């Protein structure tokens, strides 16, 4: 590949968001370069829980990337008081391994004509006349548009004035344990052990993806203490697995996800992750799809007014299709995680709760559909 070539779009980061954007751009016939800092396939700390409804955004079958189909969820409070709910058949939940999912979608992008340069961290993104320049290890790549998809530690979203200028982070610690799985179709959520958050154990092929997340306040989560209690409940040693701390940029307000000149942010770089349940894969894929649609219009625009409208359309669409629900999700998180015991009794233990959660995770409902009732219940019936 010659660095002097002009691409239509350079996508910085081959995670779920960048790969989805690159695929949909390449499939529309655009010349796309994907720059990924790590060598693919790369590991990514993530529970890998994802609603099967994301399939509707891709014309190819995602099942080669799916490790496990979840049929039921079990919620507990301090490992007791369990609620087990069978997920409705129309809202199934998948567990994916990120090394496979992200690689799989990236391969589809390459098959559609995108070029991939992995082990190639973008160092700078700058403007030169009408074009963007992205520098990597002494080479300069040029493009008409850029997709910033460099994840929760994004360097470029802030530099290019995209998304939340003061991002808020949840603390998350991921643990992978290889072991025989007892209930391969059950995802577990435990709400009583973590201050201001929850921990989870998702079955995957040959083991569990386990994690601890804390969503409000800045207090660092005592993950080792939590895991020492959680892991024995799965028949594991209290210190099993290697722990990886991964601060997670969460949604914290409506902000433009585009800037003039044809640059957009997607996925965690755009601060899209759900501040209540840490769902980041669905918004990463959604923003990948919507950014590609908007950049397709941007690249075809006849004048600067049309071009601006195309980019604004992306921010507006993400606000309507994701941000409005997250604004309510943030309010629910602020109330729920301050009084989690009440939240568990009055919210999670309600007979309709598991189905509501499944409907939210599948996109069938937004937090706005349930928020007012949930918040009233938590505020006025506590104690
Ligand atoms: C512990 C944990 C558990 C989670 N569990 C779930 C879950 O079960 N379900 C769910 O929906 N969400 C979950 N999430 C959230 C989810 O992982 C993220 O929201 C999702 O990974 C966002 O995808 P992305 O493509 O935006 O970012 P990423 O997947 O982080 O991809 C960004 C990519 O950019 C690359 N990059 C960075 N800098 C550069 C650079 N300068 N040049 C080129 N490339 C660069 C990185 O190497 C990386 O490959 C979890 C998060 C954590 C931390």
């Amino acid at each position: 590949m010659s660095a002097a070539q002009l691409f239509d779009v350079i996508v910085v980061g081959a995670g779920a968001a960048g790969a989805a954007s690159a695929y949909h751009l390449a499939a529309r016939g655009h010349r796309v370069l994907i720059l990924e800092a790590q060598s693919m396939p790369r590991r990514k700390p993530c529970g890998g829980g994802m609603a099967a409804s994301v399939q509707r955004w891709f014309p190819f079958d995602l099942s080669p990337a799916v490790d496990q189909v979840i049929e039921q969820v079990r919620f507990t409070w301090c490992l007791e008081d369990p609620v087990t709910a069978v997920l409705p058949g129309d809202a199934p939940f998948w567990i994916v391994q990120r090394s496979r999912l992200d690689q799989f979608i990236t391969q589809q992008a390459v098959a559609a004509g995108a070029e991939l340069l992995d082990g190639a961290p973008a160092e700078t993104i700058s403007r030169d006349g009408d074009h963007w320049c992205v520098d990597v290890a002494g080479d300069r790549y040029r493009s008409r548009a850029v997709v910033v998809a460099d994840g929760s530690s994004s360097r470029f979203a802030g530099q290019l004035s995209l998304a939340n200028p003061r991002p808020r982070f949840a603390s998350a610690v991921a643990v992978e344990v290889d072991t025989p799985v007892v209930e391969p179709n059950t995802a577990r959520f435990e709400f009583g052990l973590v201050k201001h958050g929850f921990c989870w154990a998702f079955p995957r092929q040959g083991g569990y993806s386990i994690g601890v997340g804390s969503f409000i306040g800045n207090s660092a989560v005592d993950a080792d203490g939590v895991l020492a209690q959680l892991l024995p409940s799965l028949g594991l040693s209290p210190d099993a697995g290697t722990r990886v701390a991964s601060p997670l940029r969460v949604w914290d307000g409506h902000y433009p996800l585009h800037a003039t000149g044809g640059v957009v942010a997607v996925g965690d770089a755009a601060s899209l992750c759900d501040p209540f349940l840490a769902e980041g894969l669905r918004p990463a894929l959604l923003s990948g799809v919507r950014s590609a649609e908007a950049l397709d219009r941007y690249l075809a625009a006849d004048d600067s007014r049309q071009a601006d409208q195309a980019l604004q359309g992306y921010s507006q669409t993400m606000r309507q299709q994701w941000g409005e629900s997250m604004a309510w999700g943030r309010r629910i998180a602020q109330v729920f995680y301050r009084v989690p015991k009440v939240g568990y009794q009055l919210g999670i233990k309600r007979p309709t709760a598991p189905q509501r959660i499944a409907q939210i995770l599948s996109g069938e409902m937004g937090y706005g559909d349930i928020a007012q009732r949930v918040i009233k219940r938590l505020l006025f019936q506590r104690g």
Side-chain angles (χ1 to χ4, degrees):
M1 181 193 317
S2 152
Q5 292 168 348
L6 177 67
F7 292 89
D8 291 325
V9 186
I10 295 177
V11 177
V12 177
S21 186
Y23 167 75
H24 282 284
L25 283 161
R28 286 177 162 81
H30 297 295
R31 284 209 63 201
V32 178
L33 171 64
I34 310 167
L35 296 172
E36 166 53 46
Q38 300 185 47
S39 296
M40 298 289 281
R42 59 94 174 91
R43 289 178 79 88
K44 156 82 195 161
C46 181
M50 183 172 83
S53 60
V54 302
Q55 177 64 70
R56 67 182 183 272
W57 296 323
F58 298 93
F60 51 85
D61 181 12
L62 286 171
S63 60
V66 176
D67 236 34
Q68 210 52 266
V69 176
I70 296 299
E71 287 164 3
Q72 58 179 14
V73 286
R74 179 164 311 131
F75 303 104
T76 50
W77 176 264
C78 292
L79 304 175
E80 291 177 357
D81 206 5
V83 183
T84 302
V86 176
L87 289 177
D90 52 355
F93 199 63
W94 288 340
I95 304 297
V96 297
Q97 287 192 44
R98 294 296 302 282
S99 52
R100 290 221 327 261
L101 178 79
D102 298 12
Q103 164 84 346
F104 181 69
I105 301 176
T106 301
Q107 281 171 342
Q108 301 292 325
V110 170
E115 294 176 54
L116 168 68
L117 207 56
D118 62 346
E123 288 151 12
T124 56
I125 302 178
S126 58
R127 200 78 182 133
D128 179 15
D130 283 349
H131 297 133
W132 293 96
C133 301
V134 183
D135 292 319
V136 182
D139 284 326
R140 172 160 279 200
Y141 299 90
R142 293 173 192 277
S143 64
R144 294 174 61 201
V146 170
V147 175
V148 172
D150 53 348
S152 262
S153 312
S154 179
R155 198 148 55 95
F156 297 116
Q159 281 178 17
L160 297 168
S161 303
L162 300 164
N164 189 343
R166 285 174 299 282
R168 189 164 71 82
F169 290 87
S171 331
V173 173
V175 188
E176 292 294 324
V177 184
D178 291 332
T179 183
V181 173
V182 181
E183 292 178 292
N185 301 326
T186 305
R188 290 182 48 172
F189 295 83
E190 156 54 49
F191 284 93
L193 297 179
V194 185
K195 190 175 178 198
H196 296 155
F198 67 94
C199 46
W200 62 89
F202 293 167
R204 55 165 172 78
Q205 290 298 324
Y208 292 99
S209 290
I210 296 168
V212 181
S214 181
F215 295 89
I216 57 173
N218 295 318
S219 51
V221 58
D222 172 21
D224 288 336
V226 170
L227 291 165
Q229 296 180 73
L230 178 71
L231 295 181
S233 77
L234 293 161
L236 301 168
S237 131
D239 59 356
T242 311
R243 284 110 213 252
V244 182
S246 301
L248 181 59
R249 207 182 269 238
V250 290
W251 190 95
D252 197 30
H254 300 293
Y255 295 94
L257 306 183
H258 70 279
T260 29
V263 61
V264 296
V266 293
D268 282 359
S271 297
L272 295 177
C273 191
D274 174 348
F276 181 45
L277 293 174
E279 191 199 8
L281 273 169
R282 196 160 53 98
L285 296 173
L286 174 67
S287 59
V289 177
R290 298 295 177 247
S291 64
E293 290 165 356
L295 286 176
D296 183 49
R297 287 194 292 276
Y298 173 82
L299 292 166
D302 291 328
D303 53 40
S304 60
R305 194 182 58 86
Q306 272 186 13
D308 286 346
Q309 277 175 349
L311 297 179
Q312 278 165 18
Y314 168 59
S315 295
Q316 277 162 9
T317 302
M318 286 307 299
R319 179 177 173 141
Q320 284 158 7
Q321 297 185 1
W322 187 253
E324 305 290 0
S325 173
M326 290 307 108
W328 286 109
R330 182 180 59 173
R331 276 174 224 169
I332 293 176
Q334 282 161 350
V335 178
F336 183 95
Y337 290 128
R338 286 210 166 81
V339 287
K341 195 169 184 181
V342 179
Y344 190 76
Q345 292 301 328
L346 297 179
I348 304 287
K349 283 194 73 183
R350 287 179 75 78
T352 51
Q355 185 167 10
R356 292 283 171 273
I357 290 176
Q359 285 173 310
I360 285 176
L361 293 177
S362 70
E364 213 179 292
M365 282 178 108
Y367 283 121
D369 297 319
I370 58 160
Q372 284 172 0
R373 261 175 297 151
V374 170
I375 290 171
K376 268 191 205 143
R377 211 174 288 136
L378 294 181
L379 288 178
F380 300 120
Q381 295 188 37
R382 48 194 286 196

